[in-house]
Amino acid sequence: MIEIKNLTKIYETRSGPHTVLNNIDLTISKGEKIGILGRNGAGKSTLIRILSGAERPTRGQIMRGMSLSWPLAFGGAFQGSLTGVDNLKFICRVYGVSHEDKIDYVEDFAELGKYIREPVKTYSSGMRARLAFAISMAVEFDCFLIDEVIAVGDAQFHEKCNNELFIKRQDRSLIMVSHDPHNIREHCSHFGVLVAGKMTMFDDVDAAYTYYQGTL
């Protein structure tokens, strides 16, 4: 279980403090799939970054009883001078898992060919996203964090990603944030709407979407 209590994030701006998240409370149980709708700038990505540990909250608590992924397909933490394989090894060390049994899987899944052994700084953004998604699937987590739609690669590769995450790992928890209700509706069972830093939860997707539409 993951418990979020009074989570608040305030950024200092030239015009004064700006509260992005305001006393968010949320509980994610094992296997639960939560979709969060919000407009651009509502704080969705900030919430995901804080949950992943990439950013610290201003105040509040996150009690992690399950392992949390980094945002899927996010390659921002890659070391550009290292190869794809070396970045995999580094990430495995960070998470305390062996890399030996994961190299073949990542090489096959990412479909990067010889570039898997070239510096990541030479990759296109799509190549980095494919590597990041492959590593996300190679390092197992209890709960996956999804920031917006996972649209990695062509249609065939996209289908492979959906199969790995939503079918093979359907027993895992996930938190998906988006401004588009389609994927939220398709993959989630509980729903939140983030407006002006406040989270409102719903058990029914239509009720959540109606409330969300009213905030646009």
Side-chain angles (χ1 to χ4, degrees):
M1 179 180 291
I2 300 165
E3 291 185 79
I4 302 168
K5 294 185 176 180
N6 301 319
L7 184 66
T8 297
K9 182 64 179 182
I10 302 172
Y11 291 108
E12 294 296 332
T13 70
R14 291 182 178 180
S15 57
H18 175 60
T19 301
V20 178
L21 301 173
N22 190 359
N23 290 321
I24 301 292
D25 291 318
L26 186 63
T27 299
I28 303 100
S29 301
K30 184 177 180 180
E32 189 173 14
K33 296 168 175 58
I34 295 178
I36 300 172
L37 288 164
R39 301 171 61 183
N40 290 334
K44 305 184 303 297
S45 295
T46 299
L47 176 61
I48 290 293
R49 287 197 302 270
I50 290 174
L51 290 176
S52 72
E55 192 167 338
R56 293 182 63 84
T58 303
R59 57 176 178 268
Q61 292 180 306
I62 303 173
M63 286 154 281
R64 297 176 175 88
M66 298 188 292
S67 60
L68 278 158
S69 76
W70 55 85
L72 293 196
F74 173 69
F78 286 147
Q79 171 53 251
S81 61
L82 297 180
T83 68
V85 170
D86 287 337
N87 270 283
L88 167 63
K89 292 177 180 179
F90 174 75
I91 290 169
C92 285
R93 285 199 297 272
V94 170
Y95 284 91
V97 296
S98 171
H99 70 269
E100 283 87 354
D101 59 339
K102 297 175 177 58
I103 293 177
D104 288 344
Y105 171 86
V106 170
E107 187 169 2
D108 178 68
F109 192 96
E111 300 177 4
L112 295 176
K114 63 183 180 182
Y115 287 100
I116 194 76
R117 289 175 171 80
E118 295 294 327
V120 169
K121 64 185 178 183
T122 66
Y123 289 13
S124 67
S125 59
M127 292 167 69
R128 291 170 69 98
R130 278 156 49 194
L131 176 65
F133 192 95
I135 295 176
S136 298
M137 296 296 98
V139 180
E140 294 291 350
F141 297 99
D142 299 318
C143 182
F144 288 95
L145 303 174
I146 305 173
D147 189 352
E148 294 296 347
V149 179
I150 304 171
V152 180
D154 57 22
Q156 184 176 358
F157 191 85
H158 192 191
E159 182 61 30
K160 183 167 69 169
C161 292
N162 283 340
N163 183 64
E164 283 289 321
L165 178 60
F166 297 119
I167 296 177
K168 291 185 178 180
R169 292 166 179 79
Q170 59 184 313
D171 61 328
R172 312 299 169 84
S173 304
L174 67 83
I175 302 170
M176 177 187 291
V177 300
S178 181
H179 66 275
D180 184 346
H182 174 73
N183 284 282
I184 297 285
R185 181 186 295 272
E186 183 177 359
H187 298 297
C188 300
S189 54
H190 293 85
F191 313 93
V193 179
L194 193 56
V195 179
K198 293 286 190 179
M199 181 85 77
T200 303
M201 297 301 299
F202 299 86
D203 291 325
D204 178 74
V205 64
D206 291 323
Y209 185 60
T210 298
Y211 179 79
Y212 170 63
Q213 284 289 91
T215 69
L216 298 179

